[in-house]
Amino acid sequence: MEDTLFRTISNQTIARGINKMEILAPHIAKKVLAGQFVMLRVDEKGERIPLTIADSSTRKGTITIIFQIVGLTTKKLGGIKEGNAILDLAGPLGRATEIKKYGTIILVGGGVGIAEMYPVAKAFKGAGNRIISILGVRTKELLILENELRKVSDEICITTDDGSYGKRGLVTEVLGQIIKKEKVDLVYAIGPVIMMKAVSELTRPYKIHTIVSLNSIMVDGTGMCGSCRVKVDEKSKFACVDGPEFDGHLVDFDELSKRLKLFIDLEKVANS
Amino acid sequence: MSERQKMPNRKPQERIKDFESVALGFSEEQALIEAARCIQCKKPLCVGGCPVDIDIPAFIELIKKKDYEAAIKKIKEKNSLPAICGRVCPQEDQCEKVCIVGKKGVPVSIGALERFAADWELATCQKSEIRDQKKLLVKVAVVGSGPAGLTCAGDLAKMGYDVILFESLHISGGVLMYGIPEFRLPKKIVQAEIEYIKNLGVQIKTNMVIGKSMTVDELFKEGFSAIFVATGAGLPQFPGIPGENLNRIYSANEFLTRVNLMKAYKFPQYDTPINIGSDVVAIGAGNVAFDSARVALRLGARSVTIVYRRTENEMPARIEEIENAKEEGIKFKLLTAPIRFIPDEKGFVKEIECIQMELGEPDESRRRRPIPKKGSEFVIKADTVIVAIGQSPNPLIPHAMPLLKLGKQGNIMVDTETMMTSIPGIFAGGDIVTGADTVISAMGAGKKAAVAIDKYLINK
């Protein structure tokens, strides 16, 4: 709001290169539903970036975001001291996850996507579903929210690329074993594009409804610019207002993957 | 009678190197010569040609008398955003089109005089009266701070209402900030005029996405007695042809927002990047297409081409902007429509396959309909494409309000007299009702809505 700043209550490193930040924004905390995101801008010269809301508290009037420090904006965000403020925060945006009783749900989270998976897992659990969580990270020290997810999961499986924790291997190996054995009503995947694509390909022959939550580039986040457009079932959709969740069996992941690389060279300039 | 004064422009070769203003405004001397050309008609037609009913002969007479302060006050009785209108209004289709001097000769340059008076006020730092008057205990919410919202909010505040203006972006101004480029409408000017609206007593809340951060029902619960929805035509249209999601194909909205609102032209001093190549094509021929083309040129593109399916005669852009673009070296590829975007190996656009068009019978827009010529396909080079073929109404509020009656295009339906939507107490105006139109039409709608809302609240 004009002349309103958004104060950070806490900003801690929770894994290597990953921060968790709590921000005072009562009007967003009051409205947010699982699967929604905010657009934020750190300072006057800053870029607007989307971040999924990982948690919220109506009592404290706060929302929580979890982010990996990968670019200029997340670096700035990571450097904000507790009690200091960010300039702009708008939300909650995007369509919320459709929460109902499906039966058995497998949630697959990769990397920092695990943070975005948490509120969805919590909401599905609250609706009486049986939750199987599969978390995949490169190595143990990148794992986040393990305890929180254990609380809302009936079963949990952790994989690491290097075998430093849980099972060595990929999330898809675990997912493949489960869906071969038992009836699964819904698969929800969030993480790197390559992971979401692999999950969707794996569930396709089993005809298991698979939802993916996309991390497209956005500028306004309100349907105005089309930067986040993605091909779903051969039609252009806007991740910000039509998504961010889509049917994984209909998303053109290869196109999405290319679109995410549009600014890579310029990001290097910005970071230098 | 002396000749119509021509507003000086910066030289093309100089102005294409930066984002500073192209048109420099009248000197005082020019303004006085031009003001003297007005014959002060007893029954002036110009006022009727102005969507916000400015008393044009009166303010021109005051300029003639060198009472510039009184001139700008006269304009502001009706128009709260004169420095903006003086720059971007298509006066040639409005007040100047019906100017009686223009019947036999060349019309009075009304727009340039309006700009002169407004710029005089800003330059001399004349503080417009700050209103510290008591407010009515009646709250009105205005949603969207573009030209319609700002005008409606300002007018309601003048009537004494307690007005809160909600904006979804981090800064107010809507299309005036994200859409129209700096060289045509400096952002300082926009912010100065918004300052005036604030001085009238309007409170602005940015980062508030109505329909998401707060619903319209919640606004009523918070004690707002009426709501004006002016959320604009924010949803960019794409041609729906193969390859439209290739890299470096931007909607004009994205391209202009990155550059104008986020200041990508100052990257990396500002954080937001824009990625363009050397051969840029803008598709469309409205003001937005021309703005995009001229921005691309200033970002360093080697060649910029407007691709349009009709001819220059049917171009919807202002003649002045078409001329400016030509002077700057923008090329035209007319009677041409894209049918497919061709990628390179990394998923970036490389070429456009086009088809030749010919003009048939006039369509519902009364312009001759373009028809593809069979077998006339050809390929043009394009490593960056900006799509400026129109915008649909922003769907956020309609989505959040299933009871709101919508038109075929998703626009909000209103009673043309009362400006009220199908839901009592909710009014709408500007592009969300009409589809993409001019700044001044939106302001006219905002003005009409303010009167209608006042009437509604008095009779309630």
Side-chain angles (χ1 to χ4, degrees):
Chain A
M1 281 167 250
E2 193 116 314
D3 311 319
T4 303
L5 295 168
F6 298 91
R7 170 168 285 183
T8 61
I9 304 300
S10 67
N11 188 9
Q12 310 159 284
T13 302
I14 55 166
R16 195 179 70 199
I18 299 175
N19 271 40
K20 176 176 164 180
M21 179 186 266
E22 238 185 313
I23 311 171
L24 200 58
H27 68 292
I28 302 178
K30 203 167 76 181
K31 303 278 316 177
V32 63
L33 296 168
Q36 292 189 296
F37 64 92
V38 285
M39 293 298 301
L40 64 81
R41 191 172 74 126
V42 178
D43 56 33
E44 201 50 53
K45 292 181 178 172
E47 198 174 359
R48 291 170 63 94
I49 63 158
L51 282 172
T52 302
I53 302 169
D55 208 350
S56 61
S57 160
T58 38
R59 188 178 54 80
K60 288 192 283 177
T62 58
I63 60 160
T64 301
I65 50 173
I66 293 177
F67 52 94
Q68 189 159 24
I69 298 172
V70 283
L72 183 61
T73 304
T74 44
K75 200 196 273 175
K76 281 182 176 178
L77 211 49
I80 291 175
K81 297 206 169 58
E82 291 173 6
N84 286 356
I86 59 170
L87 199 54
D88 297 296
L89 185 71
L93 299 169
R95 289 177 190 250
T97 314
E98 195 185 339
I99 301 296
K100 59 178 186 186
K101 189 160 180 186
Y102 293 85
T104 298
I105 301 177
I106 302 183
L107 291 113
V108 187
V112 77
I114 294 168
E116 298 158 9
M117 165 186 154
Y118 171 63
V120 178
K122 197 162 74 170
F124 276 141
K125 179 71 189 169
N129 292 285
R130 175 168 166 259
I131 304 294
I132 304 173
S133 293
I134 308 174
L135 315 180
V137 287
R138 284 206 311 276
T139 184
K140 189 189 172 188
E141 52 181 350
L142 294 174
L143 182 63
I144 53 171
L145 302 183
E146 184 190 349
N147 291 333
E148 287 85 344
L149 276 157
R150 278 190 190 283
K151 278 184 207 150
V152 297
S153 305
D154 295 278
E155 286 172 42
I156 192 163
C157 182
I158 294 160
T159 69
T160 51
D161 293 0
D162 63 0
S164 53
Y165 191 62
K167 281 188 188 157
R168 184 194 190 111
L170 300 173
V171 286
T172 39
E173 291 161 18
V174 178
L175 175 66
Q177 285 161 9
I178 302 173
I179 59 178
K180 237 182 263 172
K181 276 195 319 221
E182 62 175 296
K183 183 179 168 286
V184 172
D185 301 289
L186 177 73
V187 169
Y188 186 101
I190 182 161
V193 175
I194 187 167
M195 182 208 91
M196 293 189 283
K197 182 184 175 187
V199 166
S200 302
E201 286 314 316
L202 198 60
T203 58
R204 191 191 301 275
Y206 294 88
K207 296 195 168 63
I208 303 170
H209 183 37
T210 300
I211 300 172
V212 293
S213 178
L214 306 183
N215 53 342
S216 317
I217 298 172
M218 295 182 188
V219 183
D220 65 289
T222 61
M224 199 186 81
C225 83
S227 178
C228 65
R229 65 195 191 276
V230 50
K231 210 186 287 153
V232 181
D233 201 14
E234 295 304 312
K235 286 186 206 79
S236 295
K237 295 278 179 187
F238 288 6
C240 64
V241 287
D242 300 320
E245 293 171 358
F246 294 100
D247 182 338
H249 296 150
L250 301 177
V251 171
D252 184 339
F253 288 104
D254 294 338
E255 182 188 272
L256 173 64
S257 173
K258 282 176 188 156
R259 285 187 65 78
L260 288 171
K261 294 191 181 101
L262 174 57
F263 296 104
I264 274 191
D265 292 340
L266 292 161
E267 278 161 21
K268 282 177 199 149
V269 176
N271 279 321
S272 63
Chain B
M1 186 177 288
S2 47
E3 243 176 69
R4 174 174 159 122
Q5 295 296 297
K6 200 173 173 331
M7 195 187 292
N9 278 356
R10 287 167 68 215
K11 288 197 180 71
Q13 58 271 34
E14 181 196 323
R15 71 190 191 224
I16 60 167
K17 292 182 194 136
D18 60 43
F19 280 78
E20 303 297 310
S21 289
V22 167
L24 298 173
F26 275 168
S27 63
E28 186 176 7
E29 195 191 348
Q30 277 186 301
L32 292 171
I33 298 172
E34 192 61 31
R37 293 182 69 240
C38 174
I39 55 171
Q40 296 292 319
C41 306
K42 285 227 172 66
K43 285 181 185 163
L45 296 178
C46 53
V47 181
C50 173
V52 295
D53 306 320
I54 296 174
D55 189 344
I56 293 166
F59 96 76
I60 293 183
E61 185 64 17
L62 289 163
I63 290 182
K64 208 166 103 185
K65 289 180 182 152
K66 293 193 182 183
D67 189 350
Y68 307 129
E69 192 172 350
I72 188 64
K73 273 202 178 129
K74 181 53 75 184
I75 296 171
K76 281 190 164 175
E77 282 174 10
K78 296 286 184 180
N79 180 355
S80 301
L81 311 170
I84 294 168
C85 290
R87 285 170 168 80
V88 302
C89 266
Q91 291 97 6
E92 63 277 11
D93 290 327
Q94 297 171 341
C95 51
E96 294 178 17
K97 191 180 189 176
V98 290
C99 170
I100 290 170
V101 175
K103 300 278 180 232
K104 282 185 183 159
V106 193
V108 176
S109 191
I110 300 166
L113 287 171
E114 179 184 29
R115 172 177 164 169
F116 173 78
D119 285 1
W120 175 86
E121 185 187 38
L122 294 174
T124 51
C125 296
Q126 296 290 315
K127 280 265 175 269
S128 326
E129 75 270 47
I130 293 183
R131 296 215 171 190
D132 204 12
Q133 65 179 36
K134 284 192 175 172
K135 284 181 190 168
L136 291 164
L137 287 170
V138 185
K139 279 164 68 179
V140 182
V142 175
V143 183
S145 68
L150 285 170
T151 302
C152 185
D155 281 16
L156 287 168
K158 280 185 190 168
M159 297 172 193
Y161 290 101
D162 186 1
V163 185
I164 299 188
L165 180 49
F166 295 95
E167 166 58 43
S168 68
L169 288 169
H170 56 264
I171 195 161
S172 45
V175 73
L176 306 169
M177 289 304 289
Y178 73 74
I180 306 176
E182 181 76 22
F183 56 81
R184 211 149 72 76
L185 182 63
K187 302 307 145 215
K188 256 193 193 158
I189 300 270
V190 178
Q191 290 307 312
E193 302 227 296
I194 292 173
E195 232 13 75
Y196 170 69
I197 301 285
K198 284 178 18 195
N199 287 343
L200 293 173
V202 174
Q203 197 188 336
I204 301 182
K205 293 193 176 200
T206 54
N207 291 314
M208 286 297 282
V209 189
I210 301 301
K212 288 285 183 185
S213 311
M214 214 178 174
T215 62
V216 169
D217 287 343
E218 285 167 324
L219 287 173
F220 281 127
K221 274 184 210 140
E222 294 254 321
F224 289 96
S225 303
I227 298 165
F228 179 58
V229 178
T231 46
L235 197 73
Q237 290 166 3
F238 285 90
I241 59 176
E244 68 184 16
N245 294 347
L246 292 172
N247 279 346
R248 281 193 185 153
I249 298 181
Y250 299 98
S251 74
N253 269 4
E254 178 183 1
F255 184 73
L256 293 172
T257 300
R258 283 182 178 275
V259 177
N260 300 331
L261 181 76
M262 305 309 295
K263 300 204 171 3
Y265 66 97
K266 292 184 180 169
F267 178 86
Q269 192 195 333
Y270 281 73
D271 298 349
T272 304
I274 185 83
N275 183 346
I276 74 160
S278 55
D279 296 285
V280 178
V281 165
I283 298 171
N287 286 319
V288 177
F290 276 89
D291 282 346
S292 304
R294 295 170 70 200
V295 163
L297 195 69
R298 284 160 174 79
L299 290 172
R302 192 181 57 196
S303 140
V304 182
T305 309
I306 293 263
V307 166
Y308 181 46
R309 59 195 184 136
R310 293 181 162 108
T311 72
E312 203 178 317
N313 290 330
E314 290 83 24
M315 285 186 171
R318 290 187 69 186
I319 294 164
E320 183 187 324
E321 302 309 333
I322 296 173
E323 289 309 317
N324 281 339
K326 277 186 185 168
E327 273 179 25
E328 290 171 8
I330 306 280
K331 290 173 258 183
F332 293 172
K333 192 111 192 108
L334 304 173
L335 290 168
T336 300
I339 51 174
R340 178 170 71 102
F341 299 107
I342 303 166
D344 70 5
E345 63 285 355
K346 283 185 175 166
F348 283 64
V349 64
K350 186 176 76 174
E351 290 163 333
I352 311 175
E353 185 176 344
C354 298
I355 190 160
Q356 203 72 52
M357 310 295 271
E358 55 193 346
L359 293 183
E361 294 300 308
D363 63 10
E364 64 275 13
S365 73
R366 276 171 287 159
R367 295 176 300 174
R368 292 178 64 193
R369 185 193 299 276
I371 304 161
K373 267 199 229 170
K374 261 197 184 149
S376 67
E377 293 85 354
F378 62 102
V379 167
I380 58 172
K381 198 176 165 193
D383 59 14
T384 304
V385 176
I386 303 152
V387 179
I389 55 170
Q391 287 114 251
S392 312
N394 191 305
L396 271 176
I397 288 204
H399 271 180
M401 304 194 65
L403 292 176
L404 205 57
K405 211 172 142 203
L406 302 181
K408 255 189 270 166
Q409 316 291 328
N411 51 309
I412 298 181
M413 304 281 280
V414 295
D415 178 313
T416 46
E417 277 311 303
T418 63
M419 305 291 278
M420 190 134 79
T421 66
S422 54
I423 303 175
I426 302 182
F427 300 76
D431 285 2
I432 187 73
V433 170
T434 58
D437 203 340
T438 58
V439 167
I440 190 71
S441 311
M443 289 176 59
K447 202 160 194 62
K448 196 171 163 191
V451 174
I453 290 168
D454 182 46
K455 208 167 159 189
Y456 165 79
L457 291 173
I458 287 171
N459 294 329
K460 202 178 155 188

